[in-house]
Amino acid sequence: GLAYGASFPGLMDLTARLPGFALALNYRLVFLAGLGIAGLAALGTERLEARGPARSLVLGNGAWVVGLFALFLAAQPLFSARGLSPAFTWTQLAFEIGPLAALALTALFWKPAGQHLAAAALALLVAQRFLEMRGTYPTLSASTLAPQLPTLAALPLGGDPARIVARGDVFRPNAAALYEIEDVRGYESLVLDRFADTFPLWSHSQPASFNRVDDLASARPFLSLLNVRYAIGAPADPVPEGWREQARGPEMALFANPTALSRAFVPRDLRRIPDPVERLAAMSAARDFAGIAFLNSAGPADDQNGKAVLRIREAGPELVVEASVATRAFVATSLSDWPGWIAESGGRALPLETVNHAFVGFWLEPGEHAVRLRYRPGSWTLGVGAFFAGVLVWALLAVSRRSRL
């Protein structure tokens, strides 16, 4: 775990070759260090309670004290380079080795019973965590997590699904859920590679953080495709070109995007570009994704799309598209095309087609349709099936055991 946390080269390269690990942030496996230390502590506590004070405890703690002190001295140049004062570093060292030395001295001179020694170790641990961590996470009121933002109430949400964006560092995307809004910059440790290909078209991707959008004017065409109806700026920010002011208050300014597309829409024209490099280049030059959509599949280079009127609503995590189709039409969405999306209409599945490099699209024939888009990957079905199979096997074994008794 410690090696993962330090991004140890050989280990990280080997892990990235394992199935499923190539697309993960493997340094987060540092949690194994804490898990392993907790397990070792539990085993050590059991041994203390069973055997009482032992010479190995005194020697082991003494070795740790000496080892930590040696590492501390070796790290002095690093502490200086990072501007850490000697008063701070020496105090932190005392918090680390003090409890270890106290436990060793307790076992050496007092020689309490095993359970008493285990209790002393727990008390020293609690004291050490208090001394080291006090002030790091001060106790604050719940309103500090999501303070009232009166200007945000000017967002007319509740109709068609809509997303928002913010300029620079004005509004962190991982706070969006606290205000029941959907930030297009929301980030996860797993990202669809084709969606990541579009980042340069609308944002600046930061390592291990969210995508910054510093220029709302130049990013507006692709933000419109992403169903971004509103943007948040600093209170004194001017209205970006192509946007209009929605509201302004002491904590933020809100801008509306008049060209934002719905979560699902019918583009006027279609262009098929199978080559991803050529397709991304064409998308970077596009200024109106309502006028043209780029299909990933091969076929006629250009085609005029059919006509349809759409009505869109959300049903929990699903998207419902009610369509009145005059002539056969292609419907594009801004749903990332992860494997596992299903589109159903009239009890039958519709074939899906990737549009605009990274999003879900589908064709509709003339007539009235109610299409329900839901995310149901095969792994989910297999997992649920395995769970119920396990329950069934457990029930059969229980019945068989009871019949034998």
Side-chain angles (χ1 to χ4, degrees):
L2 293 174
Y4 279 118
S7 298
F8 192 74
L11 180 63
M12 297 294 283
D13 294 341
L14 177 62
T15 306
R17 295 180 180 273
L18 298 176
F21 285 85
L23 44 74
L25 301 178
N26 294 319
Y27 67 83
R28 292 185 175 177
L29 290 171
V30 67
F31 83 90
L32 293 171
L35 186 65
I37 291 171
L40 291 173
L43 295 174
T45 302
E46 287 185 345
R47 183 168 181 177
L48 278 181
E49 291 182 341
R51 301 186 183 182
R55 182 182 179 187
S56 59
L57 173 65
V58 177
L59 295 176
N61 277 25
W64 274 109
V65 169
V66 173
L68 288 173
F69 188 75
L71 287 173
F72 174 81
L73 294 178
Q76 287 301 310
L78 179 62
F79 296 153
S80 299
R82 295 188 175 181
L84 300 176
S85 67
F88 173 79
T89 56
W90 281 96
T91 301
Q92 295 302 308
L93 175 66
F95 290 158
E96 294 294 329
I97 68 176
L100 293 175
L103 187 61
L105 293 174
T106 299
L108 181 63
F109 295 107
W110 184 27
K111 298 181 180 179
Q115 58 183 3
H116 295 152
L117 189 60
L122 177 60
L124 287 168
L125 174 63
V126 171
Q128 189 273 339
R129 300 313 297 154
F130 170 75
L131 292 171
E132 184 178 7
M133 301 302 294
R134 61 178 176 173
T136 302
Y137 295 104
T139 302
L140 302 172
S141 67
S143 62
T144 307
L145 178 64
Q148 292 294 323
L149 300 175
T151 309
L152 202 60
L155 288 178
L157 302 177
D160 284 355
R163 299 186 177 105
I164 64 101
V165 74
R167 185 192 61 76
D169 292 321
V170 172
F171 186 83
R172 293 293 176 129
N174 51 1
L178 301 175
Y179 296 95
E180 299 183 353
I181 54 180
E182 186 177 349
D183 195 323
V184 74
R185 303 167 301 159
Y187 60 101
E188 302 290 345
S189 58
L190 303 182
V191 182
L192 181 67
D193 55 356
R194 284 177 285 114
F195 182 51
D197 291 340
T198 70
F199 288 170
L201 305 184
W202 59 279
S203 67
H204 172 66
S205 180
Q206 301 182 101
S209 187
F210 65 95
N211 293 356
R212 288 179 59 96
V213 179
D214 295 318
D215 188 348
L216 292 171
S218 63
R220 188 171 61 89
F222 205 87
L223 291 177
S224 297
L225 169 63
L226 294 177
N227 186 223
V228 175
R229 296 190 186 277
Y230 304 99
I232 299 174
D237 280 358
V239 179
E241 182 182 353
W243 298 73
R244 59 180 176 81
E245 185 170 312
Q246 178 75 19
R248 192 179 292 268
E251 74 279 15
M252 66 173 62
L254 285 178
F255 309 114
N257 180 10
T259 62
L261 298 173
S262 295
R263 193 71 56 93
F265 61 96
V266 179
R268 292 189 298 272
D269 297 311
L270 305 174
R271 179 177 299 174
R272 297 181 183 274
I273 306 180
D275 181 70
V277 176
E278 182 182 350
R279 182 169 57 249
L280 287 169
M283 290 173 61
S284 67
R287 309 310 298 169
D288 179 16
F289 287 92
I292 186 168
F294 300 88
L295 303 184
N296 293 18
S297 59
D302 294 287
D303 193 11
Q304 187 174 15
N305 199 11
K307 305 293 183 181
V309 177
L310 306 183
R311 297 169 296 280
I312 301 144
R313 60 183 175 87
E314 287 182 305
E318 301 175 357
L319 187 69
V320 178
V321 180
E322 298 175 349
S324 300
V325 184
T327 55
R328 185 173 185 262
F330 182 81
V331 178
T333 77
S334 54
L335 301 174
S336 297
D337 190 23
W338 284 96
W341 277 105
I342 298 173
E344 294 177 327
S345 177
R348 64 184 183 87
L350 300 177
L352 299 178
E353 186 168 348
T354 304
V355 60
N356 293 325
H357 192 72
F359 304 100
V360 174
F362 54 91
W363 288 92
L364 289 178
E365 300 297 329
E368 299 292 324
H369 301 269
V371 181
R372 183 174 291 266
L373 285 154
R374 59 191 178 95
Y375 185 65
R376 187 60 60 85
S379 56
W380 164 260
T381 304
L382 291 174
V384 172
F387 169 76
F388 283 108
V391 171
L392 178 61
V393 171
W394 170 82
L396 293 174
L397 291 175
V399 170
S400 175
R401 181 181 181 186
R402 177 168 292 186
S403 65
R404 288 198 304 269
L405 294 177

